[in-house]
Amino acid sequence: RVCGEREKRGLLSRAMARNGDGDMTESIMHQLIDEEALGVAFEMHRAIKLGYYELVYPDESSYEKHDVIDMKGYDIFGNTQQSLQKNVDCQCPNCDRTLGATKFAPHLEKCMGMGRNSTRLANRKNNRTPVESDQEGGGARSEEEDEWVYPERRASKKARRDKHHSSPIRTTGSRPGPGRPPKKYKISLLQQICGVVSERTGRLCTRSVNCPQHSEEQRQSLRRKLLDRPLDLPLSSHKRKRDRAESPPDDDSDVVSSNHHHSPSDSPPAAMATWGPSKKRKNKAGKRTKRSNHGNSGSSGVTTTSSRPFSTMF
Amino acid sequence: MSELAKGCEHFLEYRQNHGLQSFKIIYKYLVKPGQEARKLKAKTCVCHVCHCFTPRLHTCLMCVYFGCMNPDNHMRVHVKSAGHPLAVDLNYGTVFCFKCRDYTYDGSLDEICRETDQQLAHKKYHISRQPVAYVAWEPTKSEMELLKQNPKRRRVEPNSTVGLRGLYNLGNTCFMNCIVQALAHTPILRDYFLSDRHRCFLDTMQQRCVVCEMGNIFQEFYSGVSCPYIPFKLLHLVWTHARHLAGYEQQDAHEFFIAVLDVLHHHSGGQTPTVTQPGHCSCIVDQTYNGRLQSDVQCQTCKSVSTTVDPFRDISLDLAPSMVTNRTSTPVETNDIQSDRTSPASSTNSGETLLSAVPATLYECLDRFTRPESLGSESKIKCNKCRSYQESTKKLSVKKLPIVTCFHLKRFEHSLRSRKIAKYIQFDLEIDLTSYMARISESSDNRYSLFAVVNHSGSLFNGHYTCFIRQQQDQWYKCDDAWITKATTEEVLSSEGYLLFYHKKVLEYS
């Protein structure tokens, strides 16, 4: 504190009064200390008077003891390696499943649809957030709905769908392709599978075009709805159906109608139906396996792959 | 704060009859006088009885009378004679009631004191920011209830585990654990989060804010709990927002560090412009980690220099052996950077090119980083003065040092043959970065203190991250995922070092 005139005079007078011409400096120092001590005393007095002293300045016994332990074989908290081995669980924020903590990272990778072996199930769960590392930025999070939702569910879907041009689905590798599949994929797909929506599961029927369970009218009405026009579907024999499934569709195959723009080279390498892990379809497991063996060049009929058009089914 | 303070009945009676104007004047001119008033105080404030200036001088609240309390209590004389029971201490402005024989506190008095202090602070300090007079904290009624209900207290002491916690490995996430440990022990971040300064602007119900999660982690670290924490939420949030990082394979701690800072910056509100620097973000991440590097490109022909400034959040130091040419011909060396340290590794003879070895110390790495290098004849820069492409030299220096500087030693080489440079690089506990500044100003203090070291052990593809962190002044702990043990300073300084975190010792008002 600045020592003002008054202080000097006062000190002087007092010092003279008591010590004569004694130690002035010491006197000044004592006075300054007294004044500061007074401030502390007032703080304490106020705290006591207003009732919060014990709460804000508790005594030693209310403090928790957390001493560091520095002994071989123990960590600073007193745990042993063994005691830390015990299984700890956590809940995945993505799927709400409880799992062991040590397995969390690999699970999360698959759950979020990243990494090499995750399914498109995961991608769809996250509403098609872009997964590719070479896509635009980690921040781009598309909140778009799945484009292959059956039209009945989302009215404006169709308009939106046709507006988008899609980014090309990759022809190599097993990485999921970004963006929406173009119209020709839909066309190509609907030339290969029955496609009628099953009432029980709400999914498109992935049997062949001649699937006995659904009628032609059903198929055509579906195509009219999804593609604005009916498709000429072959009433092929069983043999042809198998052929088609095993070899890539050709330009002059009877599947193609005249006003159809599809060409085999454009068809997705891996076809469209995603089987995905589905508990409900256990009984069809056999069929699924058989079909999945058909993918040779990748552009054959119904193969299980990692591209994703029919993701709405799951 | 003032709801607790209710004055005694005598004071209340006085206040009802006379108001608080006198008190206001007394407080303003006698207790907290400005320059002019102080002179008046010095001349007139002496005890009316003994004519001395005594330690606890009081003034009567109702008339002009000064009296001392110690040692002779001349104030009481006046109280008896005039019947005025209230007196104000001239040092601190507290009111003494002679009838109650105790000091009394009242909310209205506190209000006046606070106002006056604030005005005084305004007058005294002529800076653009609003000065705030210091007001001691007092609990409100509800806070007192809370304190009563929770009688246990916890504090950070030397040799206490409060502030330390292990982190479970979620499957090769040791890189994340080390960075979290380094962040959790960064003093300035700790102060920010423990004083609850984060105001979340994201939807808190969704719990997607990484900054909130970081605050949560601090709470967990200081909870005194002894079992390790499971940082699964942070992993999920960082992977959600930095997709390029995502994936289960082993990852680089430095990459994660940069990604975490980035996400924290974005979730802090991105652009939070300040009054003084619109357009500059003032989130805690930028304030702590952002520095600026100055790059001077000098044309060899006309010697003109063009300068650019870029921000940085960490400094990556090259370790690979390099070609060093003699630079006695270039005047670039005689610029205002004084490099006091000689780099023995790159000592040259005139006219020769030498292959310098891997640097041996952190300072050598920094010397290398800031030394002027010729850009070569292949990459000529267009000089504005010469108006043509000329050979030039580039020199890096630090324009602004951040509060926390992270040095990244580039130990992983991903060239034709990917390998790890495992050579030991010596670093100090305390370093001084003054010689690497672009401009040395007299007043700046550029000393830094080491507080965290992240180490990588093992090979390029199969390794494990551990870290050393500093708690308190000189206590080091080794963090190996969930296993935390005490470590010595020697252990820390003799470790390999991959990421070195230094904290500024003296924080200055910019």
Side-chain angles (χ1 to χ4, degrees), chain A residues 46, chain B residues 2 5-7 11-12 15 104-111:
Chain A
R46 190 188 164 104
Chain B
S2 22
K6 191 124 185 269
F11 169 75
L12 291 174
R15 185 176 71 181
T104 179
Y105 305 98
D106 189 88
S108 50
L109 292 172
D110 296 334
E111 186 70 41

Side-chain angles (χ1 to χ4, degrees), chain B residues 135-396:
Chain B
V135 175
W137 174 82
E138 254 185 10
T140 58
K141 269 210 176 82
S142 52
E143 281 168 354
M144 270 181 60
E145 269 312 303
L146 272 174
L147 286 170
K148 274 192 201 131
Q149 284 161 18
N150 299 287
K152 275 286 177 191
R153 300 280 180 267
R154 198 183 305 137
R155 63 185 170 191
V156 181
E157 305 174 286
N159 223 37
S160 149
T161 63
V162 175
L164 294 164
R165 191 120 179 233
L167 293 168
Y168 274 115
N169 188 315
L170 305 173
N172 274 338
T173 56
C174 49
F175 66 93
M176 174 177 78
N177 290 345
C178 288
I179 297 298
V180 172
Q181 293 285 2
L183 290 175
H185 291 95
T186 305
I188 193 165
L189 285 186
R190 171 203 69 200
D191 293 346
Y192 177 81
F193 281 102
L194 286 184
S195 44
D196 203 20
R197 294 212 10 225
H198 169 60
R199 289 283 162 267
C200 195
F201 79 104
L202 284 182
D203 181 6
T204 41
M205 284 307 290
Q206 298 270 3
Q207 300 201 334
R208 286 216 218 109
C209 173
V210 177
V211 193
C212 286
E213 178 55 26
M214 200 67 222
N216 204 36
I217 286 178
F218 272 97
Q219 292 296 319
E220 293 281 349
F221 269 60
Y222 282 85
S223 62
V225 173
S226 63
C227 70
Y229 178 65
I230 316 171
F232 68 96
K233 207 151 167 231
L234 183 72
L235 183 70
H236 174 244
L237 288 176
V238 174
W239 275 4
T240 308
H241 298 108
R243 288 245 158 192
H244 64 281
L245 263 197
Y248 167 56
E249 288 137 36
Q250 294 186 37
Q251 292 175 19
D252 184 31
H254 176 248
E255 256 183 62
F256 185 81
F257 175 63
I258 297 299
V260 162
L261 289 191
D262 208 37
V263 180
L264 285 171
H265 163 77
H266 279 115
H267 284 204
S268 295
Q271 287 300 312
T272 339
T274 61
V275 172
T276 49
Q277 287 183 303
H280 281 243
C281 178
S282 68
C283 69
I284 187 63
V285 170
D286 284 351
Q287 279 183 28
T288 308
Y289 294 97
N290 276 21
R292 287 203 285 278
L293 262 190
Q294 180 171 309
S295 161
D296 298 303
V297 176
Q298 184 178 45
C299 167
Q300 288 308 87
T301 328
C302 64
K303 306 299 173 197
S304 68
V305 181
S306 94
T307 306
T308 44
V309 176
D310 292 306
F312 69 88
R313 283 204 180 130
D314 68 308
I315 298 183
S316 289
L317 298 170
D318 209 0
L319 300 184
S322 69
M323 302 286 280
V324 174
T325 53
N326 186 341
R327 297 177 307 272
T328 50
S329 54
T330 62
V332 180
E333 283 186 3
T334 60
N335 64 7
D336 45 0
I337 294 287
Q338 311 294 337
S339 184
D340 291 324
R341 281 161 245 293
T342 55
S343 345
S346 57
S347 58
T348 64
N349 299 320
S350 58
E352 276 173 25
T353 56
L354 273 190
L355 192 70
S356 77
V358 176
T361 71
L362 178 67
Y363 279 124
E364 278 179 38
C365 293
L366 283 170
D367 287 338
R368 239 206 222 187
F369 185 72
T370 52
R371 125 188 119 198
E373 58 177 283
S374 164
L375 294 173
S377 42
E378 287 97 50
S379 31
K380 292 191 179 172
I381 305 286
K382 180 161 191 201
C383 169
N384 283 332
K385 212 159 137 204
C386 306
R387 297 187 188 280
S388 61
Y389 285 87
Q390 303 290 346
E391 272 197 39
S392 38
T393 55
K394 181 168 108 156
K395 180 173 167 43
L396 289 172

